[in-house]
Amino acid sequence: MRSSILISGANGFIAQHIIKLLLDKGYSVIGTVRSEAKGEQVKEVIHSDNFSYEVVPHIGAEGALDEVLKRHPEVTVFLHTKSSASVPTDDVENNLLLPAVNGTKNVLQSVLTHGPQIKRMVLTSSVVAVFNWFKKFDPNKTYTEDDWSPITWEESLKDSEAGYFGSKKFSEIAAWDFVKEKNPSFKLSTVNPAFVLGPQAFEVTKKSQLNYSAELINQVIKLGSSDKIPEFTGLFVDVRDVAKAHIAAFEKEEAANKRLLLVSDRFTNEGLVLIINKNFPESTVPNGSYEKDQEQLSRALKYDNSKTKKLLGFEFISLEKSVFDTIQQIYSAK
Ligand code: NDP
C-alpha cells in the first residue's frame, strides 16, 4: 500500500480529478467535505474501497482539522484544494479575505501540531496570485512563476471579484510565511492554475452538475448564428493537467518550495467559436474570424512558464481537445 493522501474539498471539480488519478496510482485517499450528503455523493461516483471521507463543516475554523489528523496518522501528504472560495458578497473583508487567510493559517497550524508525519503539502492557489489581473497588465512584461499580483488588501475590498483575487494572493502568502516562520516537517508547493477547462471527472447526467468553467463554454455554444461574439481573452489549462500537477507537486523532490504556474495557452471567445464550428457542425454559433482571434491574442497577457513545464515533464492538453471534451460532456447532459 502506498501513502495515504488527505484532500480538502473532495467534491470539487479539480479535487475529483485529483482523487481519480490518485486512486489509479494506488494511493489511499481521505477527502474532506462539508456534509455527509456530499461525502456520499463522492463515494457513489468513485466506487473505491481506497477512498473515504471525513465531514468537516468549517475547515478554516481554528482546530477544525485536528480530529481528522489524529484519526489518520497514516496520512503523509495533504492537498489543500479548498484554500478560498469565490462567493458574491457585500462584505469582502469578513466573508472572503479574512476567512481565506485565517483559514489557511489554521489548517497549516493543525498539520503542524497533529500531523508531524506529513511530509508534503500542496496548496491550490491561482494565476490571480501571480498576474496583475486587477489593474491593466503591463503589455511589455512577460510574467513568470516569480511574479506576484500587486493587488493590495484595500484594492481587494472593491467587490467580490477583486476579493477573490486578493483572497488567493493573501492566502498563498500566508502559507509561504507560515512555512518560513515555523519551519514545519512538511514541504510546501503551490499549484497556480489559469482558467480550468475540461470535462468533469465522472459522468454527468444533469446540466446542474456542470461547473463554472463548463459554463463559460456553455455560454458560447448558446450563441445564435447572427449573435455578436463577446470579446473575451483568457488563459486556460485543462483540469486533467491540473490534477497531474498536484500529484507531481508532492511526488517530485524538485517541486518542493516551488510555485507551479499552470497555463496551457491563451484563448479568445472568437477562437472557441472556430473550434466549435470545426468539431460540431450541427451547432448554431456564429462563424468566427481567425483574424480577429489572432488580433485579440496579440494583445493578451504574455507569460513564460517554461520552468514549470520542465519540472512537470509532460505536455499540456491543447485548447481544441479541452474544448472538444468539455462540449461532448455538455451535449450528453440533459
Ligand atoms: P469547486 O467550486 O468545484 O469546488 C470547491 C470545493 O471547495 C468544494 O468542495 C466546495 O464544497 C468547497 N468549498 C467552497 N467553499 C467552502 C467553504 N467556505 N468551506 C469549506 N469548503 C468550501 O472549485 P474548483 O475545483 O474549481 O477549484 C478548486 C480550487 O482551485 C480553489 O481553491 C480555486 O480557487 C482554485 N482555482 C480554480 C480555478 C478554476 O478555473 N476552476 C482556477 C484557478 C484556481 P461545497 O460543495 O460544499 O461548496
Side-chain angles (χ1 to χ4, degrees), residues 91-323:
D91 186 352
V92 169
E93 187 157 49
N94 286 307
N95 293 336
L96 279 176
L97 293 176
L98 289 172
V101 171
N102 294 335
T104 302
K105 286 188 200 164
N106 287 337
V107 159
L108 290 166
Q109 185 59 46
S110 289
V111 176
L112 181 75
T113 316
H114 298 287
Q117 79 291 355
I118 294 184
K119 297 285 171 267
R120 300 295 284 261
M121 159 121 193
V122 182
L123 181 80
T124 314
S125 185
S126 166
V127 290
V128 301
V130 179
F131 301 134
N132 191 357
W133 222 269
F134 179 66
K135 291 180 183 156
K136 230 176 142 36
F137 55 82
D138 179 353
N140 300 315
K141 183 172 167 58
T142 299
Y143 292 84
T144 72
E145 294 83 352
D146 299 328
D147 284 297
W148 281 94
S149 159
I151 194 169
T152 63
W153 189 271
E154 285 65 37
E155 285 167 342
S156 309
L157 302 177
K158 183 175 165 254
D159 55 30
S160 303
E161 186 182 51
Y164 175 71
F165 295 168
S167 76
K168 294 308 282 186
K169 170 184 172 176
F170 293 110
S171 56
E172 192 192 324
I173 289 178
W176 288 117
D177 285 350
F178 184 97
V179 167
K180 223 182 292 162
E181 283 160 24
K182 310 257 169 135
N183 196 21
S185 55
F186 60 83
K187 288 180 179 157
L188 178 70
S189 311
T190 67
V191 169
N192 298 64
F195 208 81
V196 182
L197 298 182
Q200 309 295 309
F202 299 96
E203 201 192 340
V204 167
T205 49
K206 292 192 211 107
K207 278 224 164 42
S208 58
Q209 291 169 303
L210 295 168
N211 71 325
Y212 177 69
S213 308
E215 195 43 43
L216 177 103
I217 294 182
N218 206 10
Q219 292 302 327
V220 177
I221 306 176
K222 283 189 206 147
L223 291 173
S225 55
S226 53
D227 284 344
K228 191 170 166 356
I229 302 169
E231 188 170 330
F232 181 81
T233 310
L235 305 174
F236 93 98
V237 61
D238 190 277
V239 65
R240 292 159 287 190
D241 290 335
V242 180
K244 275 160 90 176
H246 275 82
I247 293 171
F250 73 80
E251 281 187 338
K252 288 187 182 255
E253 196 44 50
E254 62 273 30
N257 307 314
K258 297 262 167 55
R259 302 172 88 203
L260 304 179
L261 182 53
L262 301 188
V263 186
S264 171
D265 209 346
R266 302 177 295 174
F267 73 98
T268 69
N269 272 351
E270 208 70 42
L272 293 181
V273 162
L274 291 169
I275 291 173
I276 295 169
N277 272 317
K278 180 176 160 204
N279 293 286
F280 300 93
E282 70 278 22
S283 82
T284 60
V285 297
N287 277 333
S289 146
Y290 177 74
E291 288 69 31
K292 274 194 196 164
D293 174 47
Q294 294 302 304
E295 191 276 321
Q296 289 172 17
L297 287 177
S298 71
R299 289 187 272 122
L301 181 145
K302 296 187 189 68
Y303 67 91
D304 175 1
N305 61 342
S306 47
K307 276 195 271 183
T308 298
K309 284 182 168 167
K310 186 163 176 246
L311 192 151
L312 292 176
F314 60 82
E315 282 292 312
F316 287 139
I317 292 172
S318 69
L319 181 66
E320 183 155 355
K321 176 165 174 51
S322 198
V323 171

Side-chain angles (χ1 to χ4, degrees), residues 76-89:
T76 56
V77 174
F78 178 33
L79 308 180
H80 190 29
T81 70
K82 202 243 83 65
S83 54
S84 55
S86 132
V87 282
T89 175

Side-chain angles (χ1 to χ4, degrees), residues 40-52:
E40 287 301 315
Q41 273 168 14
V42 181
K43 258 197 107 65
E44 203 176 299
V45 287
I46 285 178
H47 291 305
S48 167
D49 293 340
N50 289 332
F51 174 79
S52 61

Side-chain angles (χ1 to χ4, degrees), residues 15-39:
Q16 294 214 1
H17 277 275
I18 300 174
I19 294 170
K20 190 176 177 180
L21 212 53
L22 286 169
L23 294 169
D24 286 350
K25 293 191 89 171
Y27 290 104
S28 290
V29 182
I30 299 138
T32 71
V33 284
R34 286 204 273 189
S35 68
E36 195 176 335
K38 286 182 180 173

